[in-house]
Amino acid sequence: DTAVSQTPKYLVTQMGNDKSIKCEQNLGHDTMYWYKQDSKKFLKIMFSYNNKELIINETVPNRFSPKSPDKAHLNLHINSLELGDSAVYFCASSLGTYMNTEAFFGQGTRLTVV
Amino acid sequence: SQQGEEDPQALSIQEGENATMNCSYKTSINNLQWYRQNSGRGLVHLILIRSNEREKHSGRLRVTLDTSKKSSSLLITASRAADTASYFCATPASGGSNYKLTFGKGTLLTVNP
């Protein structure tokens, strides 16, 4: 009964490959996010979706394409992977905006590009 | 740009001692949130304090907010080895965008048994 689940947990791939990370939440939330955490543990928002609509695209390269088939899912597809994409990617969800509520995070996907 | 800045960057204490972490931010906020991240895990929400609140408690956690100084503190009392983790403060982004949280760099707390 995991609240926010993302798969895979680990992903090792070569430069130039295309990969996807899946995220699902069973909390009934209407807003979902992708965050990137670098090697220094700095967390930065990448995308925010509300009711399947893109709200925020935080200057993320076009190689990253999120897709939200429904409110419970937000997947992240990455084309032409680069070494600098190596990081931990977190999916999160919330009910509404951060004005009044907290976010629930998945366990993270550690992406290593070699 | 980064909103929250935690201080100290790292803190090492003995079990049973209290741990205090500070967070400073730059712009006006509606609320401030604290999260914990255990090594290799996702973030877990600890507490949310609204801009009209000065202090909030949750179990062994005590959070204060001083909007005049744009700062917050997280106090963990009677710390346990299981409290070892990174702690982040986060605020809804300024400029009207409430669909993202801006995180600080975090404080790495080590509680020695």
Side-chain angles (χ1 to χ4, degrees):
Chain A
D1 58 345
T2 304
V4 182
S5 60
Q6 48 183 115
T7 55
K9 189 172 182 180
Y10 299 98
L11 189 52
V12 181
T13 187
Q14 291 187 323
M15 280 176 56
N17 283 351
D18 303 338
K19 290 294 177 185
S20 292
I21 307 172
K22 295 186 176 182
C23 178
E24 175 182 6
Q25 55 92 6
N26 62 4
L27 298 166
H29 289 168
D30 56 359
T31 309
M32 296 185 73
Y33 315 83
W34 279 108
Y35 283 85
K36 178 180 179 180
Q37 187 173 45
D38 62 23
S39 58
K40 295 183 179 178
K41 291 206 164 185
F42 182 54
L43 272 154
K44 189 174 180 190
I45 183 74
M46 298 174 68
F47 300 103
S48 296
Y49 270 74
N50 176 253
N51 287 316
K52 304 192 301 174
E53 298 298 319
L54 178 67
I55 302 296
I56 289 178
N57 178 343
E58 195 77 350
T59 61
V60 178
N62 290 338
R63 298 182 296 103
F64 291 79
S65 53
K67 283 191 172 49
S68 182
D70 55 58
K71 287 197 301 184
H73 296 83
L74 180 62
N75 305 321
L76 183 65
H77 188 75
I78 315 169
N79 291 326
S80 304
L81 277 155
E82 301 177 356
L83 292 176
D85 297 332
S86 294
V88 182
Y89 293 83
F90 287 99
C91 177
S93 72
S94 68
L95 188 62
T97 73
Y98 287 125
M99 292 288 286
N100 297 303
T101 187
E102 70 269 31
F104 290 77
F105 283 78
Q107 293 299 297
T109 295
R110 182 174 293 276
L111 171 66
T112 304
V113 182
V114 297
Chain B
S1 62
Q2 199 169 322
Q3 168 77 314
E5 288 274 355
E6 290 90 344
D7 168 53
Q9 289 188 12
L11 180 60
S12 182
I13 60 174
Q14 296 299 122
E15 220 169 14
E17 293 180 342
N18 295 342
T20 299
M21 287 157 270
N22 301 299
C23 169
S24 60
Y25 57 93
K26 297 173 184 175
T27 61
S28 62
I29 57 172
N30 295 95
N31 68 68
L32 186 142
Q33 304 178 28
W34 285 91
Y35 289 80
R36 183 188 73 228
Q37 183 180 29
N38 290 87
S39 180
R41 312 280 287 181
L43 281 83
V44 174
H45 178 262
L46 295 177
I47 204 162
L48 182 155
I49 186 166
R50 303 189 194 288
S51 58
N52 62 352
E53 298 175 310
R54 290 297 167 259
E55 190 171 310
K56 203 163 183 179
H57 296 256
S58 177
R60 293 183 296 112
L61 305 181
R62 173 179 167 247
V63 168
T64 62
L65 180 64
D66 187 335
T67 52
S68 66
K69 294 181 180 178
K70 292 189 170 55
S71 68
S72 174
S73 67
L74 169 67
L75 168 67
I76 304 174
T77 60
S79 63
R80 305 166 182 167
D83 294 328
T84 295
S86 291
Y87 291 82
F88 296 88
C89 67
T91 55
S94 58
S97 175
N98 300 312
Y99 285 97
K100 67 177 182 180
L101 277 177
T102 302
F103 286 85
K105 292 183 178 178
T107 292
L108 176 60
L109 173 66
T110 303
V111 182
N112 302 300

